[in-house]
Amino acid sequence: MLKLSTYGFIKYSIILFPDASYYFTPLIYVLCVIGIIYSSFTTLRQIDIKKIIAYSSIGLFGPFVDIISINAINYMREI
C-alpha cells in the first residue's frame, strides 16, 4: 500500500510539475538516504518480529523512491 500510493504520487507530480520535480530531486534523494539509515537503525533495536519486518520494509522503500524518481526525471528530460 505504501509503495503503490507513493508510485502514484510521484508519477502524477512529475507529469503535472516537471520543473519543480527536477528542482527538488536532490532533496528527495537526501530524504531517502536519511530514511534508509534511520529505519535501519530502528530495525536493529527491535525485538518483536512484526516490528522488525515493518521497519525493514520501510527501509527498503527509500531505494524504490530513488529509482522511480531517477527514471521519471530522465524520461521527462527526453520529451
Side-chain angles (χ1 to χ4, degrees), residues 39-75:
S39 64
S40 298
F41 283 131
T42 306
T43 304
L44 291 173
R45 298 285 301 161
Q46 298 302 318
I47 56 172
D48 184 21
I49 191 71
K50 289 181 185 179
K51 290 182 181 181
I52 291 172
I53 292 170
Y55 281 118
S56 64
S57 70
I58 292 172
L60 292 173
F61 182 66
F64 176 76
V65 172
D66 282 342
I67 291 170
I68 290 175
S69 298
I70 291 169
N71 290 337
I73 294 296
N74 289 336
Y75 176 74

Side-chain angles (χ1 to χ4, degrees), residues 1-18 20-21 24 28 31 61 64-65 68-69 72-73:
M1 207 55 188
L2 178 71
K3 292 178 178 122
L4 184 64
S5 62
T6 304
Y7 172 74
F9 177 73
I10 290 173
K11 180 180 177 183
Y12 288 114
S13 68
I14 289 175
I15 291 171
L16 294 174
F17 308 108
S21 299
F24 288 111
I28 291 176
L31 290 176
F61 182 66
F64 176 76
V65 172
I68 290 175
S69 298
I73 294 296

